Amino acid sequence: MGVVQGDQMVLNIGPQHPSTHGVLRLEVMTDGEIVSEIKPHLGYLHRCFEKHSENVTYEQVIPFTDRCDYLASMNSNFGYVVAMEELMEIKVPDRVEYIRIIMGELNRVASHLLALGVYGLDIGAFTPFLYMLRDRERILDMFEYTCGARLLYNYMWVGGVSHDLPKDFEKICFGFLDYFEPQIDEYNNLLTYNKIFVERTADVGVIPADVAISYGVSGPNLRGSGVNWDVRKDESYSIYDRFEFDVPVGDGKFGTLGDCFDRYWVRMLEIKESVKIIRQALKDIPSGDVHQALPKKIRPPKGSVYRRTESPRGDLGYYIISDGSPVPSRVKMRSPAFTALSCLDEVSKGWMISDVIAILGSLDIVLGEIDR
Amino acid sequence: MTIEEIKITLTNKFSGSIIENEELSDKQIEVEGSKWLEIATFMRDDPNLSFDQLECITGVDTGEDATLQSRYNLHSMEYRHKVEVVINHDKKNPKVPSIEQVWRIGDWFERETYDMFGISYEGHRDLRRILCPDDWEGWPLRKDYEGQESYHGIVVPKIKEEDEWE
Amino acid sequence: MTVDFLVDWFATIGDFPILAFILAVIISGIPLFLLMALNAMVAVYAERKVSAFMMDRIGPMGQGPGLHAGKWGLLQTVADAIKLLVKEDTIPQKSDKLLFKMAPFIIFIGAFLGLAAVPFSSSLQVADFNVGVFYIIAVGSIGVIGIIMAGWSSNNKWSLYGAMRSAAQIISYEIPAGLSIIVPIMMAGTMNLQTMIQFQSGSIWGILPNWIIFNNPFTFLAFFIFFISAVAETNRTPFDIPEAESELVAGWMTEYSGFRWAVFFLSEYSNMLVVSGLAVAGFLGGWQSPIPGMFDSPGWGLFWFMGKVIFLIFVMMWFRWTFPRLRVDQLMHVCWKVFIPIAMFNIFGVGIWKLIIG
Amino acid sequence: MGVLENKFQDNVVVASLDKLLGWARSTSPWYFQFGLACCAIEMMASAASRHDLERIGMMPRSSPRQADVMIVAGTVTMKMALRVKKLYEQMADPKYVISMGSCATSGGPYWQHGYHVLKGVDLVVPVDVYVPGCPPRPEALIEGLIKLQEKIQTERPLTRDLV
């Protein structure tokens, strides 16, 4: 009998694949079901955000930031305007800050809902996905009521917001929160505590804290590894320091610290924290004019700024260089999903193909932001 | 540690390699490209600096004066202080040592900057284009970039330059 | 109406045994095929509706321009079937063409043959074997040959993965299923499905019908092991790893289009019917009425049998839209380390129970 | 279908068969689960509980072989364009393409400076219905799908072209 030789097989996941969350291509070296190496190929959605930014004026960049992280457009806008205001040293009215925080946190809830739902879909549970999408739809309704768009808002402007909150928004929003909070328990019963779900995610794809930091992993993924780092608290921007909320950190609830379940669970807890923030903000939102501080002409002084904000996916940074003209000289977006994806190879070595899908899903990537 | 203390620490250790530049803001430090790998390793490993997180690498084309820049935003999870390191490159032959093995995320950030600006990071183990296809021509984010006319038989329609926005 | 009955009847007309046999098979085969097609259509429609209601949707409603799919989308699966029938039949250039074309029919044969032994009522059964249980288990495994053929010949890595997973899974889960179905065989002392069902007449413990599932704790356990293994054998969630949509695109069916793909669908749903039928006949009293002594004419028998089968199929759908999916090694773990020991233990338990209690 | 297509003279039987096929095809256009960018999220939203594409008989399929309609949902880049073409070629006849959103239709906001963006998916695959919007609302997508169904119903697949 000859020697049985097992060659490695190259498996191509994507660009069209149900669970690559867009158009990502993974070149996976496998031995049977076991994965030995993953080479991610990006750029299938490279839409030249940075080139556009150098060719349009500062205010025209905002719609393009929408389209980068299309699941959390409000937060993308938020990061850009915060960076711009730091560069131009604008002080915005309190009402604007409150509105921005309400919108940002609502969008965080919406984004996490989609992330958790799609994660369930990756693991094979179809129904939680639709339940979460159903509730997300209500948040989109509120956005639509406020600024007229469902997905890409162009809502936050440098120095203000495009529209004031509509009539009765507070009432509608409180109504939504009252409806929504019990729903979280439903998701937990349906998906989180499902034995099969726990088996599939606990202990799988562990990212140790030092590896996560070295790879620049941020946001819920980093907190899932047990690092207490939240830009909202630690490098506070806007008026986040006025609100009381906890930073949920993974604790290896069912398995090892930093596994897929922790990342999932941190997101679930973050939804609750966001709800808390929204309630506080709605309660003491002051009245005022939201267009008061809008600059007539956006012509920042010469200089540069790098500012991070907390988007649902992690540290969303903008590096803006101004040369004194109305067109930015350079806008760089430091996207959290980009860094999160980069650790996929290291994390998934030795796991099975099904686990790679689970790990990829738990990183919650958005390709629009990775490829820009 | 404040930015001045960081600057002093670095100047004491690498006296010749920290360049004084009046144009930079007070958060930025310019260093000499050739020494960058040693400086980076020191910045990560020194117990007082402990920059364990590379936030971002930004490539910059400064325009007419024919220089490219790499800007590194560093952050320390332990001390929560941050600094920005600026390195100037010659536009004709932009190269700088790779810090891919110092901070693992440097791998992809350097590939991205290479893809967009053509800055070559020496010592990088896998320096390929990351966003554009492998057979793409030119460095898109340089100011003098001209788009391709066709790609694999797909013709890119010529767009008439509109008048300036009113 | 069995094949034997038809053969006997032809014998009264004239002496042509071979021709009579062929005629009898064809005559009883056609309704069986119609049943299979009808089952698939109804089950697909039901599955879409059930899943929709579980997900807070409404499912196919026949909305759209012109004459659409009728009221409540009742004609939806008819339209699907016609569309699939006339869709282009793509055969990949680098596939093994003969195997590629043959595979759907092998799977179809496996599903079709199993249906022949399902006892729909005391008189409605195509072939009343004296080894009916054994026969159904045996022909049920033909399908896996077709799956491997489909996966291998497609020359597609997803298909190959799907086929390999499917083969491993079906072969493994046949063991606990087979060991569990031994329990009713031991209880009834026969492999003949009709005799087995007749054994389950009357009542037990005063109130419960004398179904094997209620007979003793071991049979109760055996039913659940059999049913779960049956779900795994039909490749349905939470054991749908061969066609895991979020991992393997469409598993071993990835390269199939049009009619050949429809045959896979047809077979999947008729497999569900067969395994549910076997579970009902073996454990749930077959066509016996749940209230002993009432509603037990042959017509009611068909109703009870189909009612129980449809309930089990509904439970399978319920599983599918509720549970996530297991991983390959977890699947094997459940089979070899949990189910097979329990099934073995059951056999001993039932044997001792029979010896002691009777 | 290649065997039968366009082989028959027009007569009553063929005409009613044509109608039947048109009905069947328009009633069950299964779409290809293939999202590119922002519009894919709206496509998911239209398949989800509130809008529910299954009402009009649409079902998602993740393999191109089994799908009838490809919804190009989002920006097609140069790198992706060749893949889109390949995926279209892998679909079995009859196949239809919906270009969803302004990016797929013309490049949308990336029209002028998007060096890496394909200026309209119709440069690589034939498009049946264009749905405008950035991104189109689910209602707009459903309207586009119904337009496609109307188009399919008027087709005469069996009848020979007399031109």
Side-chain angles (χ1 to χ4, degrees):
Chain A
M1 266 177 65
V3 182
V4 179
Q5 279 198 333
D7 274 345
Q8 293 225 317
M9 183 162 104
V10 183
L11 189 67
N12 207 4
I13 303 185
Q16 180 271 321
H17 186 276
S19 41
T20 47
H21 296 224
V23 279
L24 169 68
R25 181 173 146 226
L26 301 174
E27 198 181 316
V28 183
M29 299 288 282
T30 57
D31 180 9
E33 289 259 349
I34 311 286
V35 171
S36 59
E37 194 190 345
I38 296 184
K39 270 192 203 157
H41 293 260
L42 322 175
Y44 290 96
L45 194 54
H46 177 46
R47 297 190 281 193
C48 333
F49 164 70
E50 286 160 17
K51 190 76 180 172
H52 279 92
S53 311
E54 293 171 14
N55 287 294
V56 296
T57 57
Y58 283 101
E59 53 269 53
Q60 286 171 338
V61 175
I62 298 174
F64 288 105
T65 64
D66 272 337
R67 282 156 184 78
C68 280
D69 186 352
Y70 40 78
L71 290 183
S73 302
M74 288 286 184
N75 297 83
S76 299
N77 291 351
F78 204 171
Y80 180 75
V81 296
V82 165
M84 279 306 292
E85 280 154 13
E86 197 173 310
L87 185 65
M88 295 173 70
E89 290 164 0
I90 297 178
K91 177 89 179 69
V92 294
D94 257 11
R95 183 172 174 83
V96 172
E97 297 279 26
Y98 274 94
I99 293 176
R100 282 182 184 172
I101 284 189
I102 292 169
M103 290 300 159
E105 293 305 315
L106 275 178
N107 209 336
R108 189 185 310 277
V109 174
S111 167
H112 279 343
L113 278 180
L114 197 86
L116 300 177
V118 173
Y119 192 46
L121 200 60
D122 288 345
I123 302 294
F126 209 99
T127 308
F129 167 65
L130 287 183
Y131 281 18
M132 288 175 189
L133 225 58
R134 178 192 66 193
D135 295 338
R136 176 178 174 270
E137 206 73 19
R138 288 187 158 218
I139 301 177
L140 298 194
D141 280 351
M142 283 194 279
F143 288 151
E144 201 180 335
Y145 189 38
T146 311
C147 65
R150 272 171 57 88
L151 197 65
L152 310 173
Y153 314 107
N154 186 16
Y155 182 62
M156 296 182 194
W157 289 353
V158 180
V161 290
S162 68
H163 303 74
D164 199 353
L165 287 184
K167 205 172 141 237
D168 283 344
F169 181 86
E170 286 89 344
K171 214 175 103 200
I172 294 171
C173 196
F174 271 127
F176 165 75
L177 295 178
D178 292 339
Y179 156 82
F180 177 69
E181 271 179 315
Q183 294 286 320
I184 299 176
D185 297 329
E186 191 187 355
Y187 307 147
N188 282 339
N189 289 335
L190 187 60
L191 186 63
T192 315
Y193 299 135
N194 188 311
K195 179 84 174 120
I196 299 176
F197 181 77
V198 173
E199 285 281 316
R200 279 295 304 277
T201 53
D203 283 328
V204 172
V206 178
I207 311 181
D210 57 330
V211 173
I213 291 172
S214 179
Y215 272 100
V217 175
S218 53
N221 298 329
L222 183 64
R223 292 194 281 278
S225 298
V227 181
N228 191 335
W229 168 255
D230 188 322
V231 184
R232 287 177 294 175
K233 279 246 189 229
D234 297 304
E235 263 179 35
S236 185
Y237 56 96
S238 189
I239 50 163
Y240 271 109
D241 45 2
R242 293 189 202 171
F243 300 104
E244 264 182 44
F245 62 98
D246 301 327
V247 178
V249 174
D251 53 359
K253 193 173 165 70
F254 287 111
T256 326
L257 179 66
D259 57 9
C260 290
F261 187 86
D262 275 353
R263 292 194 280 280
Y264 168 89
W265 187 235
V266 163
R267 285 199 182 91
M268 197 58 109
L269 295 176
E270 253 178 44
I271 291 181
K272 289 187 184 172
E273 297 304 320
S274 293
V275 170
K276 238 194 247 173
I277 297 174
I278 299 166
R279 277 191 190 280
Q280 291 172 37
L282 282 173
K283 211 181 288 167
D284 35 67
I285 180 167
S287 58
D289 184 12
V290 296
H291 294 144
Q292 193 185 332
L294 283 180
K296 286 248 156 46
K297 202 183 265 176
I298 301 186
R299 211 181 260 266
K302 218 169 165 194
S304 68
V305 67
Y306 176 75
R307 179 72 228 187
R308 290 198 276 190
T309 53
E310 180 80 14
S311 99
R313 265 151 280 284
D315 303 358
L316 174 71
Y318 282 96
Y319 196 111
I320 303 171
I321 301 179
S322 154
D323 55 1
S325 68
V327 176
S329 166
R330 172 99 170 92
V331 176
K332 155 96 187 177
M333 186 186 195
R334 183 255 190 223
S335 75
F338 184 80
T339 54
L341 182 63
S342 69
C343 75
L344 180 69
D345 176 37
E346 176 135 346
V347 176
S348 1
K349 266 186 190 131
W351 291 101
M352 292 186 169
I353 293 174
S354 321
D355 296 322
V356 171
I357 303 294
I359 294 167
L360 186 68
S362 76
L363 293 174
D364 182 23
I365 54 169
V366 169
L367 262 295
E369 195 187 39
I370 292 176
D371 296 343
R372 279 153 289 157
Chain B
M1 237 189 233
T2 60
I3 190 87
E4 276 74 33
E5 289 167 335
I6 295 170
K7 233 177 214 172
I8 291 163
T9 317
L10 286 178
T11 321
N12 289 344
K13 178 87 181 166
F14 303 96
S15 51
S17 308
I18 310 296
I19 301 166
E20 288 291 325
N21 190 338
E22 291 300 310
E23 282 180 19
L24 296 177
S25 76
D26 51 358
K27 287 173 194 161
Q28 294 167 323
I29 300 174
E30 187 176 344
V31 305
E32 196 167 317
S34 52
K35 283 277 169 58
W36 171 226
L37 180 60
E38 291 152 45
I39 299 173
T41 318
F42 172 74
M43 285 173 91
R44 185 195 61 179
D45 293 338
D46 186 75
N48 290 323
L49 294 176
S50 175
F51 284 105
D52 49 6
Q53 193 189 26
L54 172 63
E55 282 180 42
C56 186
I57 299 180
T58 311
V60 181
D61 184 352
T62 45
E64 298 97 47
D65 52 350
T67 49
L68 293 172
Q69 285 179 345
S70 297
R71 299 190 176 187
Y72 299 77
N73 287 82
L74 302 174
H75 173 250
S76 163
M77 276 283 172
E78 195 181 343
Y79 301 116
R80 305 279 153 102
H81 56 215
K82 49 206 279 183
V83 70
E84 186 175 322
V85 175
V86 178
I87 298 174
N88 274 306
H89 314 295
D90 177 23
K91 198 165 189 172
K92 290 213 183 71
N93 184 19
K95 60 181 179 188
V96 65
S98 164
I99 44 89
E100 170 233 347
Q101 293 181 47
V102 182
W103 296 285
R104 292 295 294 118
I105 184 58
D107 181 357
W108 280 22
F109 276 146
E110 284 179 351
R111 274 177 70 188
E112 190 197 337
T113 315
Y114 165 76
D115 189 0
M116 292 294 138
F117 290 93
I119 300 171
S120 126
Y121 292 89
E122 291 182 323
H124 192 292
R125 285 172 293 184
D126 186 22
L127 196 62
R128 289 177 288 125
R129 282 186 180 270
I130 187 166
L131 296 179
C132 294
D134 288 335
D135 50 0
W136 197 255
E137 290 162 16
W139 312 108
L141 279 187
R142 288 196 186 183
K143 296 282 185 201
D144 53 1
Y145 173 72
E146 297 270 328
Q148 267 171 279
E149 278 178 11
S150 76
Y151 175 70
H152 281 269
I154 305 166
V155 181
V156 182
K158 270 278 164 230
I159 297 158
K160 264 185 271 168
E161 277 293 330
E162 298 242 347
D163 295 334
E164 277 297 306
W165 293 94
E166 291 301 322
Chain C
M1 187 181 74
T2 63
V3 175
D4 301 331
F5 170 78
L6 280 172
V7 172
D8 290 346
W9 185 70
F10 281 127
T12 60
I13 299 171
D15 185 27
F16 44 95
I18 295 168
L19 190 63
F21 180 71
I22 292 168
L23 267 177
V25 166
I26 290 170
I27 288 173
S28 47
I30 287 169
L32 208 58
F33 178 73
L34 290 180
L35 172 77
M36 200 169 163
L38 191 71
N39 167 57
M41 279 194 185
V42 174
V44 171
Y45 176 76
E47 171 126 44
R48 288 173 79 169
K49 275 293 188 191
V50 165
S51 72
F53 291 146
M54 281 181 183
M55 292 168 180
D56 221 349
R57 296 188 288 130
I58 46 176
M61 286 302 280
Q63 292 168 342
L67 170 69
H68 225 61
K71 203 169 164 65
W72 304 317
L74 282 170
L75 295 176
Q76 185 63 52
T77 39
V78 180
D80 289 344
I82 296 176
K83 181 207 76 178
L84 284 172
L85 208 65
V86 294
K87 205 161 161 58
E88 187 192 4
D89 178 26
T90 50
I91 296 169
Q93 200 185 4
K94 295 205 172 140
S95 64
D96 190 328
K97 295 197 176 54
L98 180 67
L99 292 185
F100 189 84
K101 286 176 191 166
M102 251 165 70
F105 299 105
I106 303 270
I107 295 174
F108 176 79
I109 287 168
F112 187 66
L113 288 181
L115 216 52
V118 175
F120 291 98
S121 82
S122 53
S123 53
L124 208 63
Q125 184 184 17
V126 172
D128 186 11
F129 297 102
N130 51 3
V131 287
V133 177
F134 182 66
Y135 169 80
I136 289 184
I137 292 274
V139 295
S141 331
I142 295 180
V144 73
I145 302 172
I147 290 176
I148 293 184
M149 275 164 71
W152 177 258
S153 64
S154 293
N155 198 6
N156 177 321
K157 285 165 187 168
W158 300 119
S159 306
L160 187 63
Y161 267 118
M164 288 303 152
R165 285 177 174 196
S166 182
Q169 176 184 338
I170 292 181
I171 290 169
S172 305
Y173 273 89
E174 241 156 41
I175 300 170
L179 289 176
S180 302
I181 203 74
I182 287 180
V183 168
I185 295 174
M186 285 167 74
M187 296 299 298
T190 174
M191 278 197 185
N192 184 314
L193 285 163
Q194 291 290 357
T195 329
M196 195 182 269
I197 294 170
Q198 272 148 20
F199 171 81
Q200 302 179 49
S201 65
S203 61
I204 189 171
W205 314 105
I207 38 165
L208 288 173
N210 181 23
W211 298 350
I212 286 179
I213 180 175
F214 299 128
N215 201 292
N216 63 52
F218 301 107
T219 50
F220 192 71
L221 199 56
F223 169 72
F224 287 99
I225 291 183
F226 178 76
F227 185 63
I228 295 171
S229 309
V231 174
E233 264 192 86
T234 43
N235 290 340
R236 287 184 67 86
T237 319
F239 309 103
D240 69 335
I241 56 158
E243 45 180 295
E245 192 163 300
S246 61
E247 292 157 25
L248 298 189
V249 187
W252 42 273
M253 309 190 284
T254 306
E255 291 289 349
Y256 282 87
S257 73
F259 184 60
R260 286 178 212 281
W261 183 73
V263 170
F264 286 142
F265 234 62
L266 200 70
S267 313
E268 184 186 330
Y269 282 95
S270 88
N271 269 334
M272 278 164 74
L273 184 69
V274 172
V275 292
S276 305
L278 188 57
V280 167
F283 292 94
L284 298 180
W287 35 260
Q288 303 277 6
S289 151
I291 310 157
M294 288 173 79
F295 309 117
D296 48 3
S297 66
W300 277 107
L302 183 64
F303 173 78
W304 291 126
F305 185 85
M306 287 315 285
K308 290 168 190 171
V309 165
I310 287 168
F311 175 73
L312 288 187
I313 292 180
F314 169 74
V315 173
M316 285 186 182
M317 289 175 184
W318 193 358
F319 279 0
R320 171 155 179 187
W321 300 107
T322 311
F323 286 137
R325 181 184 304 121
L326 282 167
R327 203 170 58 204
V328 176
D329 58 328
Q330 291 164 346
L331 190 88
M332 291 297 154
H333 172 90
V334 171
C335 175
W336 292 96
K337 293 187 184 162
V338 182
F339 280 2
I340 292 181
I342 297 179
M344 293 275 209
F345 171 73
N346 265 335
I347 293 176
F348 287 114
V350 168
I352 292 164
W353 184 281
K354 264 202 105 174
L355 272 179
I356 296 171
I357 296 179
Chain D
M1 196 46 213
V3 195
L4 296 175
E5 203 127 329
N6 304 339
K7 292 281 158 49
F8 301 95
Q9 298 280 353
D10 198 3
N11 65 41
V12 178
V13 180
V14 171
S16 12
L17 268 176
D18 263 344
K19 260 202 173 142
L20 181 72
L21 286 188
W23 170 77
R25 282 174 181 181
S26 77
T27 306
S28 80
W30 293 353
Y31 65 98
F32 185 21
Q33 198 181 9
F34 166 53
L36 286 164
C38 332
C39 293
I41 307 296
E42 287 298 70
M43 190 171 85
M44 271 154 68
S46 20
S49 304
R50 185 181 289 183
H51 300 284
D52 192 11
L53 279 184
E54 213 166 351
R55 282 181 305 148
I56 55 171
M58 310 275 297
M59 197 161 85
R61 295 302 314 168
S62 42
S63 166
R65 302 277 185 205
Q66 294 139 19
D68 307 292
V69 181
M70 178 157 86
I71 302 179
V72 184
T75 318
V76 188
T77 58
M78 290 295 183
K79 206 171 177 178
M80 195 63 202
L82 305 171
R83 309 303 171 112
V84 172
K85 196 174 179 186
K86 197 178 243 175
L87 287 169
Y88 177 76
E89 281 160 0
Q90 280 175 350
M91 284 166 70
D93 270 333
K95 50 192 171 186
Y96 308 94
V97 177
I98 288 184
S99 152
M100 179 183 181
S102 41
C103 291
T105 305
S106 70
Y110 304 97
W111 162 254
Q112 200 175 1
H113 305 292
Y115 53 88
H116 192 245
V117 175
L118 186 70
K119 310 295 184 312
V121 71
D122 44 9
L123 291 171
V124 284
V125 295
V127 176
D128 292 273
V129 175
Y130 296 90
V131 182
C134 187
R137 301 173 57 85
E139 292 92 329
L141 177 63
I142 292 171
E143 169 73 18
L145 289 166
I146 288 176
K147 280 270 178 300
L148 177 71
Q149 290 182 327
E150 278 167 8
K151 183 181 171 178
I152 298 172
Q153 270 178 3
T154 57
E155 273 178 5
R156 303 288 302 273
L158 295 176
T159 315
R160 185 189 296 159
D161 278 336
L162 295 176
V163 183

